[in-house]
Structure formats: structure tokens, C-alpha cells
Amino acid sequence: MDRNIPQATLRREKLMRWSKVGIALLILFVLILVAISYLRASVSLQDLRRSTVEVGTIEVSVGASGRVAAAFEEVITAPISSRIQEVYKHAGDSVEAGTPLLRLDLQSIETNYRKQLDELKVRSLRLQQLRIRSASQHSNAEMQIKVGAMQLDKMQVEVRNERYLDSIGAGTTDKVREVELRHRVAELELEQSRRRLDNDRRVAEADIRVMELELEIFRKTLAETKRILEDAQIRAPRAGVLTFVHDQIGSQVSPGTQIATLSDLSHFRIDAEIADSYGDRIAVGSRVVVKVGKDELAGVVSNLTPLSRNGVIQFSVSLQQSDYPRLRSGLRTDVHVMHSIKEDVLRIANGPYYNGKGSYQLFVLSGGELVRREVVLGESNYKWVEVVSGLEVGDEVVVSDMSQYRDKSKLSISE
């Protein structure tokens, strides 16, 4: 026969069933909280860089990479084919103008220079001989012309005498004609001598002029040899710091070989390069901002290569403060070339999030949390980015790198 279950037992079993249901609901609730916490990660505002949207001016720029170089740099080359005998200075040494840097073997060029000096003396003596010889020949010719003129005067007297004798019947007509013929021949010979002397003078003057020109050309050749000889005694052309010296004693160098580089390391310039796609945005005279670490230096584009090489255009920047203490030769810098101005536009601070015009997903501070928002950005410079749409004045935007939260739509803010 069935027995009635006590009420206490029924209540206990009912309580156990509800306890199990409660525990299950509690576990489910905890799991939901954990899931929500996972889906909505929290961040600390102190760890984030933020920017408030404002209205302002953006001087649009394009970025380039640069390298610090000495403002003045002179390459010293070997003027002759020779061998390095001694090295007096080394890379890093400061030198004054005229300081010997190294010595080349100059025996052959010194011998050649002495030969040319002797040749110059010989040519000068030959020219002197030509002048003396010409003067002597002309003097003899002039003397002969004077003698011929005196003989012509004598013949003219004879002609008058014969004509007189013929007029009084003491002479003959044939004798008069003979004397007149001799007088005419003497006149022609004297004229011929005078013309020959004039021609000889012209020829002699031309010969002397040719020899003078040859002598002048040889003097220039000798001066060039002397200059090469002086250049071969390698000296610093001006004060500066040696950044390179060919210091291998005994090595052979040919004409044009770089043997030293002298730089002025008290003033610097920037050698930069930029993608050729930005070629239309850069010109000589364009304003430039060079960033050396956190410091900014102003300058202008001073030189621009017209041709693209390997997809880049090279240019040089002249700095207003070329002696800035932190500048070092070879130091890498960021170069920003300004090319246009936009006024009264919405702007936010530039940062690692920005890589060109387009649409972005940025986190905006709203109601105590960070909410993802689609934002369209435009032109930029090294400080500011233009906001085309998606933000309003006063919005506070995270400009740090938030790529790790790309799958989050909201972020809570932790203390």
C-alpha cells in the first residue's frame, strides 16, 4: 500500500530543484557578463593620444626622406697618374688652407717641367735670332736701295748731259737712247728692290708672329704643367674637415681618382628624395620643414634634379639655421615640402593612423566611452589632417594607433 510522502521531504526536493535552476541561471549570467566584457574591451584614456576637432588652416605638405650633408664639400682628385708616397692627414682631421694632405711621386712630371723650361729658353733664343736675322737682311736691302737710288741719280745726270751734247751736235741720238734705256732699267730695278724689301718685311713679320704665337702657346703649356705640378703637391684648398683620404701608401692613382674630400662641418644642408608622383608639388623655392627628432628646422628647396631615377626625384634643402647643433653629417631626417594652403577647414592632429586621403574608422569619445565612427579625411601636413566629413567641431578623437581594436565597435574607459 502506498504511503504519503511527508511534506518536509517534498519541500526539500522542491528547494533542491529550484537551487539547481538558480545555480544554472547564475552561471549563465556570469558567462554573459564575461562575454560582454570580452566584446567591449576597456582602455585607459591616459594611454591614448587624443585630438579635439577644430577649425583652422592647413598648409598642405608632402613627405620626403632626407639626409644631412655638409653645406660645402669639395672632392680633391689626382691631377696626374702617380703613386702615393706619404700621407700627412687622415679622415676626421681639421685642416687650414694650404695644409699638405699627402705626397705623390712627382719625379716624372718634375723632369718634364725642367725639360719644358729648357725648351722655352731655346724657343725664345730662336725668336731672338729670327728678329736679328730679319733686321740684318732688311738693313742690307735698305742699303742696296740707297745705293741704287744714288746710281739712278747719276744716270739721270748722264741722260741730261747726253741730251745737251746731242742738242749742240756733239753727241748722237743713239747714245742718248742708250743712256735713257739704262736709266729706265735702273728705275725698274730700284722699284723691284723696294717691293722685294716690302714683301720680305711682311714675310719676316709673319714668321716672327707665328713664332711668337708658338712661344705663347708653349708658355701656356708650361703654365699648365706648373699648375699640375703644384696641384700634385696635394694641399687643402680651404679650411675644413677631411671626411675622406686615400691613405694607402704605395697605391697607384690615375688622373681624376678621388684622393680626398674636404667638408665644412660647421654648416649643413639636406639632401632629400621624394616619389616622382609628387613631382608637380615641389619646385625650387618651396618652403620646407625638416624634423630632426622633435625639433623643426625651416628651409627652402635650393636645387631640384629634373629627372626621375628609380621612381624618385632628388632635391636639396637650404636651411635657415644651417649650423644647428644637433645636425650631423649622414643623419636621417623627415622632410615636409609645403605646396598649398587650405583655410577654415576642420582639422585634427596627424598621427600613425593616417596614411593618405580616404575613409577611416576612428574612435570618438562619446558618453563616457569610445565609439567607432566612419570619418573621411583629406589633405594633411606633418601636424594636421583635414576632416572632410564624419566629425564636428569639439569632437574628441583618438589619434593613436588603434589597429588592435579594429574588430571593436565600442570601447569602455577604465580608470
Side-chain angles (χ1 to χ4, degrees), residues 209-255:
R209 183 58 181 159
V210 168
M211 190 167 287
E212 287 176 344
L213 288 175
E214 290 177 348
L215 185 61
E216 184 64 26
I217 292 173
F218 189 80
R219 282 197 180 102
K220 291 180 180 178
T221 302
L222 181 62
E224 179 65 15
T225 303
K226 183 180 180 181
R227 183 193 64 80
I228 293 175
L229 181 60
E230 290 175 350
D231 290 346
Q233 299 170 3
I234 309 300
R235 298 176 181 272
R238 64 189 72 208
V241 176
L242 287 172
T243 55
F244 168 77
V245 174
H246 195 318
D247 56 2
Q248 296 180 359
I249 297 176
S251 61
Q252 192 74 21
V253 293
S254 56

Side-chain angles (χ1 to χ4, degrees), residues 11-233:
R11 285 196 298 271
R12 188 167 52 253
E13 291 178 355
K14 187 176 181 181
L15 181 60
M16 290 178 64
R17 286 196 300 270
W18 281 109
S19 297
K20 292 178 180 179
V21 172
I23 291 173
L25 290 175
L26 180 60
I27 292 173
L28 179 62
F29 180 72
V30 171
L31 290 175
I32 292 175
L33 289 179
V34 171
I36 293 175
S37 176
Y38 175 77
L39 293 175
R40 295 185 59 185
S42 62
V43 293
S44 173
L45 291 180
Q46 295 179 354
D47 299 332
L48 301 178
R49 181 168 169 249
R50 293 163 291 159
S51 175
T52 302
V53 180
E54 62 181 49
V55 177
T57 299
I58 296 180
E59 192 170 6
V60 183
S61 67
V62 291
S65 60
R67 182 180 63 86
V68 178
F72 163 79
E73 192 172 71
E74 182 170 351
V75 176
I76 303 173
T77 59
I80 60 173
S81 178
S82 183
R83 184 174 58 86
I84 297 177
Q85 288 188 329
E86 288 187 64
V87 177
Y88 305 124
K89 298 294 180 180
H90 299 275
D93 291 346
S94 297
V95 296
E96 297 296 329
T99 302
L101 304 180
L102 51 84
R103 182 163 66 89
L104 301 177
D105 182 4
L106 305 180
Q107 183 176 358
S108 60
I109 190 172
E110 285 175 346
T111 302
N112 183 46
Y113 180 65
R114 287 193 292 269
K115 287 181 179 179
Q116 288 182 341
L117 285 176
D118 295 338
E119 179 69 17
L120 179 64
K121 292 179 181 179
V122 172
R123 288 174 180 263
S124 298
L125 291 174
R126 286 176 181 172
L127 178 60
Q128 186 177 356
Q129 286 178 342
L130 179 61
R131 285 172 176 166
I132 294 173
R133 188 183 305 114
S134 298
S136 177
Q137 291 174 351
H138 296 159
S139 177
N140 293 335
E142 288 174 352
M143 186 60 66
Q144 292 176 359
I145 289 173
K146 287 181 180 180
V147 172
M150 294 173 66
Q151 292 176 348
L152 186 63
D153 290 341
K154 179 182 177 182
M155 289 181 181
Q156 190 172 3
V157 172
E158 292 178 354
V159 170
R160 285 200 301 267
N161 290 339
E162 290 296 331
R163 286 175 180 173
Y164 175 74
L165 292 175
D166 183 52
S167 65
I168 62 175
T172 63
T173 304
D174 291 339
K175 185 65 174 178
V176 172
R177 289 179 178 176
E178 181 182 351
V179 174
E180 288 178 346
L181 181 60
R182 287 203 306 267
H183 180 265
R184 180 59 181 163
V185 171
E187 282 184 335
L188 293 176
E189 289 177 346
L190 182 61
E191 180 64 23
Q192 183 182 21
S193 297
R194 286 172 176 167
R195 291 185 178 181
R196 185 185 300 115
L197 176 60
D198 185 58
N199 291 335
D200 288 345
R201 280 176 173 168
R202 291 181 180 180
V203 171
E205 288 176 356
D207 290 342
I208 291 173
R209 183 58 181 159
V210 168
M211 190 167 287
E212 287 176 344
L213 288 175
E214 290 177 348
L215 185 61
E216 184 64 26
I217 292 173
F218 189 80
R219 282 197 180 102
K220 291 180 180 178
T221 302
L222 181 62
E224 179 65 15
T225 303
K226 183 180 180 181
R227 183 193 64 80
I228 293 175
L229 181 60
E230 290 175 350
D231 290 346
Q233 299 170 3

Side-chain angles (χ1 to χ4, degrees), residues 7 24 34 43 80 97 106 145 172 177 213 217 251 282 284 294 298 313 372-373 387 391 400 402:
Q7 291 296 323
V34 171
V43 293
I80 60 173
L106 305 180
I145 289 173
T172 63
R177 289 179 178 176
L213 288 175
I217 292 173
S251 61
I282 181 173
V284 173
K294 294 183 179 180
I313 296 175
R372 180 188 295 277
R373 188 183 301 179
V387 177
L391 295 174
S400 300
M402 301 292 285

Side-chain angles (χ1 to χ4, degrees), residues 283-347:
V284 173
S286 298
R287 197 174 77 84
V288 176
V289 173
V290 178
K291 296 196 70 176
V292 182
K294 294 183 179 180
D295 299 334
E296 299 177 3
L297 301 177
V300 295
V301 176
S302 58
N303 184 39
L304 176 65
T305 57
L307 300 178
S308 171
R309 180 180 299 177
N310 297 325
V312 298
I313 296 175
Q314 297 179 336
F315 62 96
S316 297
V317 177
S318 176
L319 298 172
Q320 292 182 4
Q321 193 176 354
S322 60
D323 57 350
Y324 188 68
R326 291 191 60 188
L327 294 176
R328 294 290 183 274
S329 183
L331 181 66
R332 288 289 178 179
T333 62
D334 293 328
V335 179
H336 303 276
V337 182
M338 310 301 175
H339 67 87
S340 63
I341 296 178
K342 285 192 170 185
E343 297 181 347
D344 298 328
V345 297
L346 294 181
R347 67 184 188 182

Side-chain angles (χ1 to χ4, degrees), residues 344-359:
D344 298 328
V345 297
L346 294 181
R347 67 184 188 182
I348 57 175
N350 205 335
Y353 67 93
Y354 182 77
N355 55 14
K357 294 191 294 184
S359 179

